[in-house]
Every structure is written in C-alpha cells, then in structure tokens.
Amino acid sequence: MTVRIGIDARKLHDFGIGTYIRNLLRQLARLDQTTEFVLLSRPQDKAALTSLGENFRIVAESAGNYSFTEQVKIPLALRREKVDLFHAPHYVLPPLVPCRSVVTIHDCIHLMFPQYLPNRLALRYARTSIAMAARRATRVMTVSETSKRDIIRFFGTEADKIDVIHNAYDERFDEPREEEISRVRERYQLHEDFVLYVGNVKPHKNLERLIEAFHLVRARGLDHVKLVMIGDDISKYAALRRAVHQHQLHKYVRFLGYLPEGTLAAMYRLASVFVFPSLYEGFGLPPLEAMASGTPVVTSNVSSLPEVTGDAAVLVDPYDPAAIADGIARVLTDDDLAAQMRVRGLARAHEFSWETSIRRVREIYGEVLNLPAPSSVPGRRQRAGGAPPA
C-alpha cells in the first residue's frame, strides 16, 4: 500500500517558514525513499523541487497564502491526489482537509503583539486560524518550549498533543569557502569592524531601538564601527529609515536586503558581533546561524532566545537601548569575552540538528498513520541538485 503525505510548500522562499520548509524537504529526501510525498508548490518552484527524488511529486498550486481561495483549493488538491496525511508547515489548516493532519505552529506573534497587525480583521483571522489548526490537527508541532507554553495559554491545547522539535542551522553555515569570504569582503567593502543583523524588518524585531543602541555605541568612541542589516527591503518600514536619519547614521548603516545563503554565511563569518534584539521569537534562527559561524552573539533575554542560545550569548533587555549598546560594546572591546562567546557559540550550535529534528517529524507522521518508521538508504539514487533551492 502506497502512503501519500502532502506538504504545503508554497512558502518555500519565505524568510522564516521557508527555511523550515526547505530543510524539512531536504532531510525527508535523505531519510525516506519509500513514502510518496505530494508537495503543493508555487508553479514557479515546480522545476526546482523535482531534484528531491523520485518519491516526491510536485503539484502546482497558485492559491494565495492567507486567502479564502486556499481554504477551498488546498482540500480539493489533497482529495484529488488521495493524500493520507497533510502537513501544514504554518498555522493555516483549512477546515475541509479530507485526511488526517499535523500542523507546525511556529509562534503566537500575532496574538502577543496584535498592535502590529494591519487591522482587527487580521487579528481575528490569525486567532481563528491558529485555534482551528491546534484543535483539528491530530498532532501539533512547535519549535520551542516557549511557543508550546504560548499555544497552551492562548488555546488550551493539551500539552501531550504538542511536540517541541527545535529548528537547526543549515550545514552550509559550518565552513564557507575562504574564497567566498574574500569575495564577499571585497564586494561589500567590509574591511572594518561591523555589527550584523539578519532578519525581517517587522516591528517586533525592535530595529528602531537597535539603531538607537548603535548610535550610543558610536558615541562611546567606537565610531569606526558600521552596522549591516540583511533582510527585507527597508522601504517596508519607513520608521526605520527615519531612525537612521534622526541619529545621522546614513553613512554608517547599510541595508543590503535579502542575500543568498552562501553570501550570508560569509557575512556571519566577517561580522565582529551579531545582534538580535527581538521582542519575541518562536525560535530565533539567526542567532543560531551566527553561533554556528563562530560569531559572538548579543540577543534578547526574553521569549525563546535564552532557550536557544543557552550560556553562549550576551543577553540584554531589548526594551532598553542602553542595555543593547552595553552588550555590543562589551563584545567589541573585550577580546577575551568575544573569544569565549565564539567557543561557547560553536558548541551550543552543534547541539541542534536538522537531521535529528526532521527524523522526529517523520516519526510523528508514522505515529499519526500507525506506520513503522522508514529506514534511510545510503547512496540513494537522486536527481541532480538533491535539495530544494536555498
């Protein structure tokens, strides 16, 4: 009997959930060569995903995320493809899904910070969707103990229905080639100390306070230091540009937008310190990527970030720009502390593994379907590429 597991891969290129989906598919391709996986993907991603292997079938699906259309078209596609189990890798699980289901709820950010949503309707949609997914799914997966507590608090979901399966860093952050590091250094003229931020520019990322903290760092005499911010286009967040001009930092702050993972890995290696002052994270992958790159990390002492970084980061109050500045300045001026953070960070990062995490996800698929766990086959035959795009 052929088992078919459907996975919604339409967010393949998103910043956070996209990273989760890409690594989910990469590891499933390595771990399981017997199950038939049906991937619902954007039409433009169909060709790239065929590299996963012969047991992955790509079904083009153009329904928009968070739309009424997906509530109808996703269940229809699952019924048409005779899917036995559906994995929703974010909190939207259409009520008409015709088979058993599991859902990954990464965080409850919309409920923690409703003021950042565009309107009351968006809040109602998020609350209803997460509640419905948590109730209807056979199992709920989340990425940290912090998120598990939030799901229980907001929705009353039974604790034993929720599995905490940590994210991990991509293996390409382990050791970028020296020539790639040199190329990135020259391409972006990174010949002096710089503070690095990686992520989107949504309000809860707390970037206005980061700009103010960077201003305070420079005022302490560290005026040779630059700030490099990688992620979304700054035009999405006008207040951030105003903060830069308010402190007259336009010559010292660089916004580089989204970068490929290879370039990003080199950026982490080149940075003097990585700073991530977010007010809330379901997991917080960028600090883990920075630690895996041997870069000292300054991050918030709230939500899941202490859980992820352990004793390997300088933790600061994200609501206090002076505290953020203190953390950054400590790393930049204390060579012993910076060296200690590099050693601890590498050790901490190696405690997280996508292979281990996705193996557990695959076990949960089997538990829901009452099937034995698959055995991976070394040297499996695979088409060129072997993984979804970065």
Side-chain angles (χ1 to χ4, degrees):
M1 171 182 164
T2 300
V3 174
R4 292 192 181 94
I5 297 177
I7 300 173
D8 185 354
R10 291 174 300 146
K11 282 178 166 283
L12 185 70
H13 295 294
D14 277 28
F15 204 92
I17 293 174
T19 299
Y20 176 82
I21 293 171
R22 292 191 299 271
N23 283 284
L24 171 69
L25 300 182
R26 284 176 185 144
Q27 295 301 328
L28 286 175
R30 296 171 181 175
L31 293 170
D32 186 350
Q33 295 84 52
T34 57
T35 301
E36 183 177 347
F37 292 99
V38 178
L39 307 183
L40 306 183
S41 82
R42 295 287 180 211
Q44 59 268 31
D45 294 333
K46 190 172 180 179
L49 289 170
T50 56
S51 65
L52 286 163
E54 295 177 357
N55 60 319
F56 285 78
R57 187 153 53 85
I58 320 303
V59 176
E61 179 50 68
S62 58
N65 291 301
Y66 313 115
S67 68
F68 173 76
T69 306
E70 73 175 347
Q71 301 294 323
V72 177
K73 293 189 69 177
I74 297 300
L76 285 175
L78 298 175
R79 188 178 298 277
R80 184 180 64 246
E81 302 299 330
K82 297 180 173 58
V83 167
D84 300 296
L85 172 68
F86 176 56
H87 182 181
H90 58 116
Y91 64 72
V92 177
L93 180 62
L96 299 178
V97 164
C99 56
R100 295 180 186 181
S101 59
V102 297
V103 62
T104 302
I105 301 175
H106 297 261
D107 57 52
C108 294
I109 180 65
H110 297 318
L111 308 185
M112 298 290 292
F113 295 92
Q115 66 269 33
Y116 297 147
L117 290 170
N119 51 52
R120 290 178 180 271
L121 182 61
L123 174 60
R124 191 176 301 118
Y125 181 91
R127 186 185 298 277
T128 302
S129 295
I130 301 174
M132 186 179 300
R135 184 174 64 252
R136 292 192 68 253
T138 307
R139 296 280 280 276
V140 174
M141 294 177 280
T142 192
V143 294
S144 67
E145 293 293 343
T146 299
S147 284
K148 179 175 181 175
R149 288 193 296 270
D150 290 340
I151 294 167
I152 293 171
R153 176 161 64 95
F154 281 111
F155 305 107
T157 308
E158 302 91 338
D160 59 2
K161 183 179 178 177
I162 306 172
D163 291 88
V164 174
I165 303 175
H166 288 132
N167 290 334
Y169 68 93
D170 192 279
E171 56 202 23
R172 67 188 74 190
F173 288 103
D174 271 327
E175 200 67 51
R177 299 189 311 275
E178 193 59 44
E179 56 267 31
E180 176 67 6
I181 295 174
S182 298
R183 183 193 70 79
V184 171
R185 179 189 287 112
E186 293 303 319
R187 166 69 177 81
Y188 295 98
Q189 290 298 292
L190 299 170
H191 298 292
E192 294 183 296
D193 289 337
F194 70 93
V195 177
L196 178 66
Y197 167 82
V198 174
N200 60 47
V201 295
K202 293 177 180 178
H204 73 278
K205 297 298 185 180
N206 202 30
L207 300 185
E208 290 176 67
R209 289 192 181 96
L210 172 56
I211 296 296
E212 185 176 349
F214 178 65
H215 167 68
L216 294 175
V217 168
R218 288 179 50 80
R220 297 181 185 187
L222 296 169
D223 54 5
H224 67 290
V225 179
K226 303 292 192 302
L227 173 61
V228 176
M229 306 182 79
I230 297 172
D232 290 348
D233 188 340
I234 188 178
S235 64
K236 296 181 180 179
Y237 193 10
L240 192 54
R241 186 178 293 278
R242 288 196 297 270
V244 171
H245 285 285
Q246 175 187 342
H247 296 295
Q248 300 181 352
L249 293 171
H250 55 281
K251 292 183 179 178
Y252 311 105
V253 179
R254 299 175 64 183
F255 297 91
L256 299 183
Y258 178 82
L259 295 179
E261 282 184 342
T263 303
L264 181 58
M267 282 285 186
Y268 278 126
R269 293 274 169 168
L270 290 167
S272 303
V273 57
F274 176 79
V275 60
F276 196 75
S278 179
L279 302 178
Y280 177 84
E281 294 292 323
F283 183 82
L285 189 57
L288 188 62
E289 293 172 343
M291 291 191 299
S293 303
T295 303
V297 170
V298 175
T299 192
S300 304
N301 60 5
V302 299
S303 71
S304 64
L305 292 164
E307 178 184 340
V308 171
T309 58
D311 67 348
V314 175
L315 301 178
V316 298
D317 179 358
Y319 292 93
D320 183 358
I324 301 171
D326 285 344
I328 296 170
R330 283 180 61 201
V331 174
L332 290 174
T333 59
D334 187 336
D335 292 342
D336 290 339
L337 174 64
Q340 184 181 71
M341 290 297 97
R342 290 188 182 95
V343 172
R344 287 184 180 178
L346 285 166
R348 179 64 175 171
H350 289 158
E351 295 178 21
F352 297 82
S353 161
W354 276 120
E355 180 182 356
T356 300
S357 294
I358 303 308
R359 189 179 294 277
R360 178 59 189 140
V361 171
R362 182 59 185 84
E363 288 174 357
I364 289 172
Y365 293 167
E367 290 167 9
V368 171
L369 292 170
N370 296 315
L371 297 172
S375 57
S376 58
V377 179
R380 61 164 297 192
R381 192 158 54 93
Q382 191 170 327
R383 298 177 193 176

